């Protein structure tokens, strides 16, 4: 099979790191969202089952078919919106599922009509690259912020990474992760008590539709998923140089959410952070073989869905500082490439820089995250600077 010929240790590691970072950085928010609707432990496990299978199959299958990395994740800002609105509104789990279905139907409609892809195609590459750099730079900063609470670990990982980049660049992330795990294990900092052996069992919840849930849960979930997840996700795809069928994949994510919503899949969408890990040069120097990283990532997500508590325990056993450090170091190359592409042209430099800074600021207005406002600010700046100016004047 061609996949096994294309697979490499660096790609498999990129897939694992993507799951490790994506899962551990936001799983607590997903738990909070489920608990806001009064979820039982069985229902929370069902959420993990549905989300794991949805993310895994929607990443694994298209990546194998297209031979390009397709990365689907859950909506972290969407989970935050659900956790906040659910706790304030007193909605039942059935009403929440109804809101999930409404949001998924809207995402499916957006994908089928292709209007979102047409809008994204009008955004200059420099703005997209600046958006990518702004989204990822926050993770780069967190790698060094982690030194405040785990200085020896972060210093060790940084030194190992720099040495590996010089002598074995292709396996730098692999070697750095191994060194970090060895250190925390030797210090007794792995939380093995969190690992429990049991399979996940799906729990069906019949949807209930109400205007209150639609307005308070469904529509906000749709808006933040599109603006804070799918928009930067497509920016990563464009900046990484892949010509993926965005509208068809968006439709696929919406349909998968529709099917799995009664079991707890609240929103599936394009990934940004973890996609950059699997689409960048750290996954593989050969662009045509990076799809194997996404396939590995998808397979691990399927395992999370099927084995629920076992995989959840294994991933959450890693200290938060190790996760932050490996994420930041793994993204250094992609951040650098994004900034280089964003600031390359004089005509777009200021607009790209504004996009980068607004995105990096983490500002949230009307519940919509900084990725969306970064694109808006950069596009407005570019319009003001370039409108009705001749190429000679704008250069």
């Amino acid at each position: 099979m061609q996949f096994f010929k294309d697979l490499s240790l660096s790609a498999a590691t990129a897939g694992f790191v993507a799951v490790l970072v994506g899962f551990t950085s936001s799983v607590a928010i997903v738990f909070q969202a489920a608990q806001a609707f009064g979820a039982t432990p069985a229902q929370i496990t069902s959420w993990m089952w549905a989300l794991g299978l949805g993310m895994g199959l929607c990443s694994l299958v298209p990546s194998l078919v297209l031979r390009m990395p397709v990365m689907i994740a859950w909506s972290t800002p969407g989970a935050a919106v659900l956790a906040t609105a659910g706790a304030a509104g007193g909605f039942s789990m059935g009403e929440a599922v109804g809101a999930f279905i409404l949001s998924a139907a809207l995402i499916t409609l957006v994908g089928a009509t292709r209007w979102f892809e047409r809008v994204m195609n009008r955004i200059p590459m420099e703005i997209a690259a600046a958006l990518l750099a702004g989204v990822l730079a926050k993770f780069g900063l967190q790698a060094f912020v982690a030194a405040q609470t785990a200085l020896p670990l972060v210093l060790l990982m940084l030194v190992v990474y720099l040495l590996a980049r010089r002598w074995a660049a292709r396996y730098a992330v692999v070697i750095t992760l191994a060194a970090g795990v060895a250190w925390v294990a030797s210090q007794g900092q792995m939380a093995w008590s969190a690992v429990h052996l049991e399979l996940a069992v799906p729990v069906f919840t019949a949807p209930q539709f109400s205007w209150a849930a639609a307005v308070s849960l469904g529509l906000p979930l749709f808006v933040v998923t599109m603006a804070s997840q799918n928009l930067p996700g497509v920016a990563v795809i464009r900046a990484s140089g892949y010509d993926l069928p965005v509208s068809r994949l968006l439709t696929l994510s919406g349909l998968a959410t529709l099917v799995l919503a009664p079991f707890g899949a609240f929103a599936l969408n394009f990934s940004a952070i973890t996609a950059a890990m699997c689409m960048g040069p750290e996954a593989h120097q050969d662009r045509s073989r990076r799809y194997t990283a996404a396939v590995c990532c998808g397979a691990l997500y399927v395992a999370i869905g099927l084995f629920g508590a076992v995989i959840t325990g294994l991933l959450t056993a890693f200290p938060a500082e190790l996760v932050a450090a490996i994420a930041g170091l793994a993204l250094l190359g992609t951040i650098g490439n994004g900034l280089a592409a964003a600031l390359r042209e004089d005509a777009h430099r200021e607009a790209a820089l504004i996009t980068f800074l607004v995105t990096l600021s983490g500002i949230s207005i009307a519940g919509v995250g900084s990725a969306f406002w970064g694109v808006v600010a950069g596009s407005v700046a570019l319009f003001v600077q370039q409108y009705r100016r001749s190429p000679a004047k704008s250069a």
Side-chain angles (χ1 to χ4, degrees):
M1 184 178 179
Q2 186 63 40
F3 167 76
F4 293 105
K5 295 180 180 178
D6 292 339
L7 183 63
S8 66
L9 179 59
S10 60
T13 302
F16 174 76
V17 172
V19 173
L20 176 66
V21 172
F23 190 87
T24 58
S25 64
S26 58
V27 68
I29 301 175
V30 176
F31 285 171
Q32 290 174 358
Q35 291 168 347
F37 303 113
T40 63
Q43 286 175 320
I44 293 176
T45 300
S46 180
W47 278 43
M48 290 297 102
W49 177 87
L51 290 167
L53 259 63
M55 294 186 297
L57 293 177
C58 288
S59 299
L60 188 156
V61 176
S63 296
L64 282 175
V65 172
L66 299 172
R67 296 284 177 87
M68 290 185 283
V70 176
M71 294 290 290
I72 300 296
W74 64 47
S75 175
T76 300
V81 167
L82 292 174
T84 303
F91 297 102
S92 68
M93 183 62 75
E95 288 177 305
V97 170
F100 302 166
I101 291 175
L102 172 62
S103 174
L106 292 173
I107 291 174
T108 304
L109 179 63
V110 167
T113 56
R114 302 192 64 177
W115 74 261
F116 180 70
E117 184 174 7
R118 287 194 290 268
V119 171
M120 289 301 301
N121 287 338
R122 297 181 66 87
I123 296 177
M125 179 55 66
E126 290 83 359
I127 299 295
L131 172 63
L132 169 63
V135 169
L136 301 185
K138 289 182 284 188
F139 278 75
L141 290 171
Q142 289 173 9
F144 299 99
V145 171
Q148 292 181 335
T149 53
L151 182 60
L153 171 64
V154 174
L155 285 178
L156 170 68
M157 294 180 70
L158 178 59
V159 170
V160 170
Y161 175 81
L162 293 174
L163 292 174
R165 284 290 295 172
R166 178 172 181 179
W167 301 111
R170 184 175 176 180
Y171 303 104
V173 175
V174 180
I175 297 170
T176 304
L177 177 62
V181 171
W183 173 266
V184 297
S186 68
Q187 300 298 307
Q189 297 174 358
M190 296 290 289
W192 298 118
S193 60
V195 181
H196 302 287
L197 184 61
E198 61 181 281
L199 291 173
V201 178
V203 177
F204 179 85
T205 300
Q208 298 175 13
F209 299 95
S210 67
W211 282 110
V215 173
S216 300
L217 300 177
L219 292 180
L221 177 61
F222 166 71
V223 171
V224 300
T225 298
M226 292 301 299
S228 299
Q229 289 283 162
N230 282 323
L231 189 149
V234 174
V236 171
I237 294 170
R238 295 284 190 257
S240 300
Y242 289 102
D243 185 21
L244 289 171
V246 170
S247 293
R248 282 189 288 163
L249 293 172
L250 191 61
T251 303
L252 174 65
S253 70
L255 290 174
T257 307
L258 277 173
V259 172
L260 294 169
F263 303 98
F266 56 91
L268 301 174
N269 46 247
F270 289 119
S271 168
I273 307 298
T274 54
M277 295 177 178
C278 292
M279 294 181 179
E282 286 76 15
H284 203 287
Q285 291 300 316
D286 185 349
R287 185 188 303 274
S288 66
R289 296 173 64 181
R290 294 175 192 167
Y291 77 95
T292 57
V295 172
C296 292
C297 180
L300 288 172
Y301 274 133
V302 170
I304 287 175
L306 295 177
F307 295 98
V310 181
I311 307 298
T312 300
L314 286 172
L315 292 177
T316 54
F318 291 94
E321 292 86 355
L322 184 147
V323 175
I326 195 62
L329 294 174
L331 290 169
L332 283 180
T334 306
I335 295 170
N337 291 337
L339 284 173
L343 305 178
R344 181 172 48 208
E345 299 291 337
D346 289 343
H348 294 155
R349 186 167 297 161
E350 282 193 349
L353 188 57
I354 289 172
T355 300
F356 170 75
L357 293 175
V358 173
T359 303
L360 181 59
S361 72
I363 187 174
S364 178
I365 302 174
V368 179
S370 62
F372 174 79
W373 297 115
V375 171
V376 170
S379 299
V380 169
L382 188 62
F383 176 79
V384 172
Q385 291 180 325
Q386 301 295 328
Y387 183 64
R388 289 188 173 179
R389 294 184 68 180
S390 66
K393 290 181 179 181
S394 63

